[in-house]
Amino acid sequence: GYGLIRISSTLNPHPPNLMFPIIILALWGILMTSSICLRQTDLKALIAYSSVSHMGLVAAAIIVQTPWGLTGAMTLMVAHGLTSSALFALTNTNYERTHTRTLLLVRGLQLAFPLMSTWWLLTNLTNMAMPPTINLLGELFIISTLFNWSTPTIIITGMGTLITATYSLYMFLMTQRGSISTQFQLLPPTHTREHLNLTLHLLPLGLLIMKPALVSGLFT
């Protein structure tokens, strides 16, 4: 994202024949990668594809080259960087105990790790841009920028947001709800360092809600 900002600024104003193909590919990538997340069976792959989907929004906003677009791109990059990292950390805590990332095999972990399930819920809600997180702020800036650039883009960005909410809830329900497998009856407990790790991911996101200008720079 930082590289795109540096390169695109040298091409300002963009020629139309450069803008249209890149933005169309970025928007199409949002739908495709979000749809791929709905059929993933590997937890790590699901989170990785969700990052690609969010970066499609970032790329499209940067290419438009408006103050709102760049603000939204910067905000979403910081927000998703912390959120995606927290999701990978949660995946690792599951893998260290179950030795599998297959969604069908790691169900019902809320019964074994209720506090870790709380981290899963908060992180997934942040990933789907629940108000008042800065993820929502970044997505609103980007969606508004693209809508101002071309009205029909609201259809694609709206569908992308809906699919993101769908696979985020799907990821939480598949890993935390249901009955736990009999092969996972004796699981080692979670450690303080793991909870500290997740706190250091989600606490900055919560604090940035109070002063989003630290990452956006729009309200200074």
Side-chain angles (χ1 to χ4, degrees), residues 74-140:
M74 287 294 297
T75 305
L76 190 59
M77 278 193 291
V78 173
H80 187 70
L82 290 168
T83 306
S84 183
S85 179
L87 286 171
F88 278 119
L90 285 166
T91 302
N92 184 63
T93 60
N94 284 4
Y95 183 76
E96 286 181 345
R97 289 158 178 82
T98 62
H99 303 289
T100 179
R101 296 194 303 264
T102 305
L103 287 170
L104 290 173
L105 299 179
V106 294
R107 303 189 69 177
L109 293 181
Q110 179 182 3
L111 298 173
F113 311 116
L115 181 55
M116 196 60 70
S117 182
T118 304
W119 291 121
W120 271 103
L121 177 62
L122 292 175
T123 311
N124 277 284
L125 290 176
T126 306
N127 190 55
M128 60 189 285
M130 178 195 69
T133 59
I134 61 167
N135 302 59
L136 176 66
L137 182 69
E139 289 191 13
L140 285 178

Side-chain angles (χ1 to χ4, degrees), residues 1-11 14 58-59 61-63 65 69-71 73-75 77:
Y2 175 74
L4 282 173
I5 293 174
R6 292 297 299 269
I7 292 173
S8 62
S9 62
T10 63
L11 303 174
H14 293 316
V58 170
I62 292 172
I63 296 299
Q65 279 289 292
L70 294 176
T71 297
M74 287 294 297
T75 305
M77 278 193 291

